[in-house]
Amino acid sequence: MKTLNSTLILLALTLFISCSSKNESELDKAAQQFTLLVKDADAANKIPRTVTAEGEIHWTNPRFDWTEGFFPGSCWYLYEATNDEKWKKAAEKFQSLFEKHKYKTTNHDLGFVFNCSYGNGYRLTNNKDFKNVMTTAADFLSTRFNSNVGCIKSWDVTSGWQAERGWKFPVIIDNMMNLELLFEASKLTGNDKYKNIAIAHANTTLKNHFRDDNSSFHVIDYDPETGEVRNKHTAQGFAHTSAWARGQAWGLYGYTVCYRYTKDEKYLEQAEKIAKFITEYKGTPEDGIPYWDYNAPNIPNEPRDVSAAAITASALIELDSFSNNNYQPAIDKIMISLASDKYTAEVGENNHFILKHSVGSIPHGNEIDVPLNYADYYYLEALVRLKK
Ligand code: GLY
């Protein structure tokens, strides 16, 4: 018996050591690749977002870009993983390029932008200036909350392609990702006003965004006067009734975060339901990397979306720590695939982004089968979460 126990302990220890050293080697490769990307970004004094059709780095729009927080956020994760001051310096430099965007009232993405950058920075350094940036951004994000609807408005509908859809008050499932900044702002200030908005938004979304199979619509359009649902649409998915892959990942991540801050069981249940939809979906390929839309018309001849897989993996790692369900097999499947040559670029290739094969928006003809800064961000977050 004693020999059996010792053998089991030895086996467990070997497995643990081999998993952690695998994780270390992926982080090490990511750090090598990002050393090159930071060099490119330093030279341009710009933030990398993706790669153009001509094979050049496409930089974020300096006027505002919903993805601008991810690159400095990735540097913060590398700082957390390595303790190397060069990553802290890079994160501080690149987030300072958009600090002034904390006053924006024209879209909902301040949560993505400021929580992934300044939020991680504050978590790791306790720098009071970062906290002030976060609470200012939370104040400006809160201006988009409408109490008739019980939601933050995602997009303005006065210009651009959004103006052509006939919407009055569109709320996208992605907006769940902006709530973390509000929960954090309440924690940092002791003022519940931010958290109350986040809870109202999560509850309204829970009521209207989900279908019986636990997949979600992308866009719910509300009447801003009455709060009635006007339309259930898509913007980035294949069809109004289809399940856009990244949207499912945003919902999973968003409700997991809501449970983290509130411990309200209904959010945990919702996250578990979404996880069930994603992990048990029969049409997903064996490697766990979904097509860009679960109902895309030409499967298997459709692009995969690595960003959706990376967000899902990171969310499942956190959900696994709250839930009685075991998400480890699903996490392992995705993380092993992402680390493979099929999805991770060789150091020096892929314009120095870590992951290949993501999709921005197929209906808009944008960023199809390319690297994306947010795929790298959530992959690094997942690697750091696993390391912990
Ligand atoms: N709006 C964020 C996304 O494209 O997923």
Side-chain angles (χ1 to χ4, degrees):
M1 190 54 150
K2 220 168 157 190
T3 327
L4 183 66
N5 279 348
S6 319
T7 313
L8 284 176
I9 291 169
L10 196 66
L11 263 173
L13 205 63
T14 315
L15 193 67
F16 174 74
I17 292 168
S18 90
C19 286
S20 1
S21 60
K22 174 106 184 56
N23 194 243
E24 289 295 339
S25 79
E26 281 140 14
L27 277 166
D28 187 49
K29 193 166 179 184
Q32 287 180 50
Q33 186 74 319
F34 253 58
T35 300
L36 302 174
L37 192 57
V38 166
K39 211 164 150 203
D40 301 331
D42 258 332
N45 202 30
K46 289 178 185 164
I47 295 172
R49 169 174 168 144
T50 180
V51 174
T52 64
E54 292 72 39
E56 305 288 331
I57 293 180
H58 179 83
W59 309 98
T60 58
N61 183 341
R63 278 180 295 145
F64 185 78
D65 192 311
W66 78 272
T67 74
E68 62 199 11
F70 296 119
F71 181 63
S74 294
C75 294
W76 282 122
Y77 277 126
L78 287 168
Y79 176 58
E80 185 169 11
T82 63
N83 248 333
D84 185 334
E85 288 288 314
K86 80 174 184 185
W87 298 116
K88 176 169 179 271
K89 212 170 126 228
E92 286 174 346
K93 172 189 165 153
F94 291 107
Q95 70 186 18
S96 74
L97 296 182
F98 56 77
E99 184 195 327
K100 58 182 179 297
H101 298 168
K102 64 191 174 191
Y103 302 118
K104 286 261 175 202
T105 54
T106 44
N107 81 42
H108 68 141
D109 290 317
L110 295 188
F112 269 119
V113 168
F114 287 97
N115 198 55
C116 298
S117 54
Y118 284 86
N120 277 312
Y122 183 69
R123 183 173 63 78
L124 295 171
T125 65
N126 248 358
N127 181 329
K128 292 243 166 10
D129 293 339
F130 295 174
K131 171 176 152 181
N132 293 338
V133 172
M134 288 168 74
T135 52
T136 304
D139 278 323
F140 280 83
L141 173 59
S142 301
T143 63
R144 298 183 67 79
F145 181 72
N146 174 323
S147 54
N148 299 332
V149 175
C151 273
I152 296 161
K153 187 183 192 178
S154 298
W155 293 322
D156 287 351
V157 289
T158 44
S159 63
W161 62 268
Q162 289 97 336
E164 293 159 16
R165 300 292 300 265
W167 297 327
K168 287 190 175 175
F169 192 102
V171 177
I172 60 176
I173 189 68
D174 328 26
N175 208 337
M176 288 298 300
M177 298 298 287
N178 291 306
L179 306 185
E180 189 170 355
L181 178 73
L182 299 177
F183 282 121
E184 263 312 300
S186 278
K187 219 171 100 181
L188 297 176
T189 60
N191 188 334
D192 278 352
K193 69 180 179 180
Y194 309 102
K195 180 171 116 181
N196 291 340
I197 290 176
I199 289 172
H201 185 101
N203 291 345
T204 308
T205 300
L206 193 52
K207 194 163 91 198
N208 297 320
H209 253 88
F210 291 92
R211 310 183 181 110
D212 290 345
D213 68 354
N214 303 316
S215 69
S216 71
F217 290 93
H218 184 201
V219 185
I220 304 292
D221 175 37
Y222 293 94
D223 184 319
E225 312 300 330
T226 65
E228 298 277 304
V229 172
R230 298 180 67 240
N231 296 294
K232 296 193 172 197
H233 280 178
T234 196
Q236 284 159 261
F238 161 61
H240 295 329
T241 50
S242 72
W244 172 50
R246 196 163 56 251
Q248 314 313 305
W250 292 143
L252 170 68
Y253 195 115
Y255 280 101
T256 305
V257 166
C258 288
Y259 181 72
R260 184 206 304 161
Y261 284 97
T262 62
K263 296 293 174 233
D264 185 330
E265 289 291 324
K266 69 174 179 285
Y267 300 143
L268 178 61
E269 277 166 27
Q270 189 58 35
E272 289 173 339
K273 285 181 185 174
I274 305 169
K276 187 170 164 59
F277 173 84
I278 294 175
T279 59
E280 295 181 11
Y281 194 78
K282 293 283 176 281
T284 299
E286 208 26 60
D287 65 4
I289 312 300
Y291 295 103
W292 67 280
D293 188 306
Y294 288 92
N295 311 105
N298 299 312
I299 288 172
N301 301 314
E302 292 281 358
R304 308 286 194 93
D305 184 9
V306 157
S307 75
I311 298 156
T312 298
S314 186
L316 287 178
I317 294 165
E318 181 166 32
L319 182 60
D320 192 68
S321 71
F322 299 141
S323 173
N324 292 326
N325 300 334
N326 176 14
Y327 295 109
Q328 203 57 51
I331 296 164
D332 289 345
K333 186 194 269 193
I334 298 175
M335 292 303 283
I336 288 168
S337 296
L338 291 180
S340 72
D341 293 348
K342 183 165 179 197
Y343 299 109
T344 291
E346 283 307 313
V347 174
E349 295 180 358
N350 204 34
N351 292 77
H352 307 148
F353 288 86
I354 303 166
L355 295 174
K356 307 179 270 188
H357 304 312
S358 288
V359 162
S361 179
I362 287 197
H364 296 94
N366 265 349
E367 302 174 331
I368 301 168
D369 196 15
V370 289
L372 287 170
N373 62 10
Y374 43 99
D376 287 0
Y377 172 88
Y378 288 102
Y379 179 54
L380 283 169
E381 181 179 82
L383 288 174
V384 169
R385 285 180 170 182
L386 285 177
K387 185 178 151 93
K388 279 181 180 169

